[in-house]
Amino acid sequence: MCPTNNPKLTSWVDVSPECEFPIQNLPYGVFQLGDAPPAVGVAIGEFVLDLAALHASGKFSGTSIAADNIFAAASLNGFMGKGRQAWTDVRDRISELLRKNNATIRDDKELRQQVLIPSSDVRMLMPVAIGDFTDFYSSKHHATNVGTMFRDASNPLLPNWLHLPVGYHGRSGTVFVSGVDIHRPNGQLKPDDNAPPIFGPSRLLDFELEIGFIVGAPNEAGHRIEINQAAQHIFGMVLVNDWSARDIQKWEYVPLGPFLGKSFATSISPWVVTLDALEPFRVPSPVQEPDVLPYLKTAAPWGLDIRLEAFVQSAKMSEPMKLTSTNFKHMYWTIVQQLAHHTVNGTAMRVGDLCGSGTVSGPTEDARGCMLEICWKGTKPITLPDGDQRRFFADGDTVTLRGASHGEGYRIGFGEVSATILPAVS
Ligand code: MN
């Protein structure tokens, strides 16, 4: 195991056992303190470690990123673009500086006040300048449920599904960070099968509980990323709420797939949890049968044990209600299979590309990752504590996703992605 992942490590920064940001995590984000320029930081306990200030104080000297202050930036792209060795060097150095027995920052009051900022004082911004956004459809439970509802319960998966990770190209320009509220989309709807379409606000606004990986190292056009190299290209992961207007989607999607029912908004969490931090939580993924083609085969286990939850809170509710709890380990297609497949035709991935997993649904009814499944196409509404019912979301509803890997005595958390639904713009 990599020393930075040692469960026994502790920090001189106070971190409670329930806190999602212990020294084993060290997720990266972009923050802003007042009117100061945005900077790259790392979450530790209830604080943000200001890497731009830390770099300016010379604490990255001797590493591969000593020359220019890539942390004095409004995105992680500059840092990610330095490549795998830089990611390792920086994680190693930060881990050292934060360890209980390291006096460098701990005993330097002036430096400590400069670089350690209470999380409650900062605003979190988009962590990544996202290049392209791809969304997969990699949960067999989700695909089976959707196929059962809309196609054929005895044959819910299309013939390609077990042979390749199905995906489509989404829209990066409407990926928003947690806290940015979302307008209900307008569009063409066809509530009556026997009448022409109408125009208006979506009536079937849904969420999709997903995790996305961020590409940190590019590949050259024409040259694929081989599956056993895929992890070298993945910087880290974020929570993704891939908002979906089911009525717009249902009418428009034939034959070219998702368009306006998906492109209006996707929300991501502000902290990027590195693949390095998730390393101890790799588990075998579900057995794939029939056997996959050789370019999708890997001997290494690439399932990830990440517990996921979704909550809703209407404008009238005083606290959120849980909608579902599931686990990323149920995903049929792994992140390395997704990246190997994505590039098998020679597609060039760029630094900052985001790949969503697709809705993460588990094997049980209480582990479904979207309202379409939870309320089974609107036939099983849920009742909120105030007595209101939901089949899909109403204006004023706040939807929050949370996720964490649980180790012994500590957890590697993603924080949250949360957004409130605003009325459609007329
Ligand atoms: Mn999706």
Side-chain angles (χ1 to χ4, degrees), residues 97-179:
L97 290 169
L98 289 174
R99 279 176 211 174
K100 194 149 221 150
N101 59 3
N102 191 303
T104 313
I105 305 175
R106 188 193 67 195
D107 294 351
D108 184 336
K109 193 175 172 207
E110 199 181 330
L111 178 64
R112 203 173 67 229
Q113 285 178 343
Q114 244 171 37
V115 300
L116 207 60
I117 305 163
S119 304
S120 52
D121 290 354
V122 307
R123 199 159 63 94
M124 296 308 298
L125 308 178
M126 268 297 281
V128 173
I130 294 174
D132 287 306
F133 168 41
T134 301
D135 196 28
F136 286 96
Y137 187 59
S138 287
S139 160
K140 190 175 176 184
H141 304 291
H142 173 67
T144 300
N145 286 336
V146 172
T148 301
M149 277 185 264
F150 290 102
R151 296 181 52 254
D152 178 2
S154 63
N155 189 22
L157 297 178
L158 286 163
N160 60 4
W161 201 92
L162 294 169
H163 294 278
L164 55 86
V166 169
Y168 73 97
H169 285 103
R171 187 162 186 84
S172 58
T174 42
V175 178
F176 302 111
V177 74
S178 178

Side-chain angles (χ1 to χ4, degrees), residues 347-370:
T347 289
M349 304 299 289
R350 292 180 294 176
V351 174
D353 284 354
L354 171 67
C355 292
S357 59
T359 305
V360 183
S361 291
T364 54
E365 276 191 34
D366 57 1
R368 293 172 172 166
C370 63

